[in-house]
Amino acid sequence: MTSAIHEILPLELIERILSICEPLDVATFGQTSRFFRTLVYQTTDQHLWRSLYLSQPFDDPRSCVSFLGEPRSIVDWKPELQNIIRTRSVIAHERIAVCHPDERCIVLETLLNIVCNVPSSPHPSTSDLSQNLLWVAAVLRDGTFLHHDERTFSAEDQQLRARLHTYFGLTLIETQISSGLRTNFRAYVYDQRHYSWLNHFGPFRMDGSGRVNWIHMRAIHHVISMHVVDLGDNDEFIFAVFPMSLPFCQPIIPEGMDLDQEQDWAGVAGYWSCNYCFIPHYLFMGEYNTTKESTQLMCYSVYNVCAPGCSNTEISLIIS
């Protein structure tokens, strides 16, 4: 008479075997019987799912902090790992277009959750990079997911993906002149219709809420990045690591620093490494702003900042 495997092997040994398996295989195993479905999906003990999560190439969530250094209060191992595996599958098989809208949002939020919760680093020049960031960089390496036709995306999905893209940095597609993306991003940044009192003349949403407009931020990020990352005609682009790319999402918290007591918690004091990018004003004046009203506004704004002492006559001559 044949006995079931759980009648032969101790439950602890079965869990140990499952904990070193691929999560998709564990899910398949859970469909083989009612007993194993209960073991995999319906147990109140998260030991198995915690072991499965920690066997993956990710940072331990218990050691992760937000961009502001705030630790995670709770980790729900099973749903978080399930979302990650589903996200990996969607991106690997380029299924983002056929995802249910709610699932598409979950995929984007999962990637952002991975990026925005990583272990802190004690020094900016450390080589101890976050496993979370390395995983996301590998999954999104060709940039296809970040450039998929977004006409089927909801407005909020577009914001989520633009935010993820801003954190990620430049993609191979963006660096290719034939893609036309550089022109599109420049047109967005230099179009005066995207600046008004409603968004405080900055990269914020036009509803007056003060929320970041990540579509605007992505465009600004690209324009500046293409100045910082100087690629020659024959240079091969793999993944540009520079101070506006994914590895720099890792927060820097020196050893022994107590964020509750630290006055300079953001690390503003000290020496800074800066890049300076100058606006090509001809793009404001003509190429992306063709109406008389937008040109007058831009001319007045530019010269009011650059030469606040000039007279009204001089300004009128400039505008005319």
Side-chain angles (χ1 to χ4, degrees):
M1 182 177 179
T2 304
S3 300
I5 187 173
H6 63 271
E7 296 175 351
I8 302 174
L9 297 178
L11 188 58
E12 293 79 4
L13 181 57
I14 296 176
E15 285 195 357
R16 173 56 182 163
I17 295 172
L18 292 176
S19 68
I20 59 176
C21 292
E22 164 64 31
L24 288 176
D25 295 333
V26 175
T28 302
F29 181 77
Q31 303 300 317
T32 58
S33 73
R34 184 176 299 174
F35 177 86
F36 289 127
R37 180 174 180 80
T38 300
L39 172 65
V40 172
Y41 292 109
Q42 297 175 0
T43 178
T44 56
D45 183 5
Q46 295 212 50
H47 177 267
L48 174 61
W49 286 96
R50 181 173 65 247
S51 299
L52 282 171
Y53 192 113
L54 296 177
S55 67
Q56 304 303 307
F58 300 110
D59 300 309
D60 186 336
R62 296 168 296 186
S63 66
C64 294
V65 297
S66 68
F67 289 162
L68 297 180
E70 299 168 342
R72 298 196 55 181
S73 57
I74 190 171
V75 180
D76 203 348
W77 302 95
K78 184 174 73 172
E80 288 195 26
L81 183 56
Q82 287 177 321
N83 287 339
I84 289 174
I85 299 303
R86 178 57 179 161
T87 295
R88 183 186 67 183
S89 178
V90 167
I91 296 175
H93 297 93
E94 298 184 8
R95 295 176 179 169
I96 191 66
V98 298
C99 281
H100 188 275
D102 291 342
E103 185 178 27
R104 186 180 299 149
C105 185
I106 291 174
V107 167
L108 291 166
E109 288 178 342
T110 297
L111 289 168
L112 283 169
N113 182 61
I114 295 173
V115 170
C116 297
N117 291 279
V118 300
S120 63
S121 177
H123 194 273
S125 60
T126 183
S127 59
D128 187 18
L129 289 177
S130 160
Q131 293 298 308
N132 284 6
L133 299 180
L134 292 175
W135 186 84
V136 172
V139 169
L140 302 179
R141 61 186 178 276
D142 64 355
T144 302
F145 177 80
L146 296 173
H147 294 290
H148 193 280
D149 186 358
E150 61 183 21
R151 284 176 293 183
T152 60
F153 283 41
S154 68
E156 196 57 36
D157 285 348
Q158 291 181 36
Q159 289 288 335
L160 290 172
R161 192 172 67 164
R163 180 183 176 189
L164 178 64
H165 192 168
T166 304
Y167 292 156
F168 181 84
L170 289 175
T171 66
L172 173 62
I173 299 173
E174 288 180 274
T175 62
Q176 297 172 341
I177 297 176
S178 59
S179 71
L181 287 173
R182 187 174 190 182
T183 299
N184 293 341
F185 286 134
R186 276 180 149 188
Y188 193 104
V189 172
Y190 299 140
D191 188 340
Q192 281 300 290
R193 290 173 296 182
H194 295 138
Y195 302 90
S196 75
W197 292 107
L198 292 174
N199 69 342
H200 311 290
F201 294 93
F204 305 102
R205 304 195 193 187
M206 285 292 187
D207 57 7
S209 66
R211 293 183 299 165
V212 174
N213 181 352
W214 287 101
I215 294 174
H216 197 154
M217 282 295 299
R218 177 180 57 185
I220 294 173
H221 181 280
H222 173 87
V223 171
I224 297 177
S225 297
M226 291 300 289
H227 287 292
V228 176
V229 181
D230 185 17
L231 292 173
D233 294 335
N234 298 319
D235 291 344
E236 181 182 5
F237 179 90
I238 302 176
F239 177 70
V241 178
F242 65 109
M244 292 174 62
S245 62
L246 200 56
F248 287 84
C249 290
Q250 194 163 358
I252 308 300
I253 303 178
E255 294 181 0
M257 176 181 287
D258 183 351
L259 296 182
D260 293 331
Q261 301 296 326
E262 177 63 39
Q263 297 297 316
D264 182 30
W265 59 269
V268 175
Y271 293 100
W272 281 68
S273 176
C274 300
N275 291 297
Y276 295 90
C277 298
F278 294 92
I279 299 173
H281 290 124
Y282 71 91
L283 297 177
F284 274 111
M285 305 304 183
E287 188 165 344
Y288 301 128
N289 296 280
T290 56
T291 65
K292 180 180 179 182
E293 290 78 9
S294 63
T295 302
Q296 288 178 335
L297 173 63
M298 194 59 238
C299 287
Y300 183 85
S301 300
V302 168
Y303 286 94
N304 192 40
V305 171
C306 297
C310 62
S311 65
N312 292 334
T313 302
E314 291 172 321
I315 292 176
S316 63
L317 288 174
I318 292 169
I319 295 176
S320 61

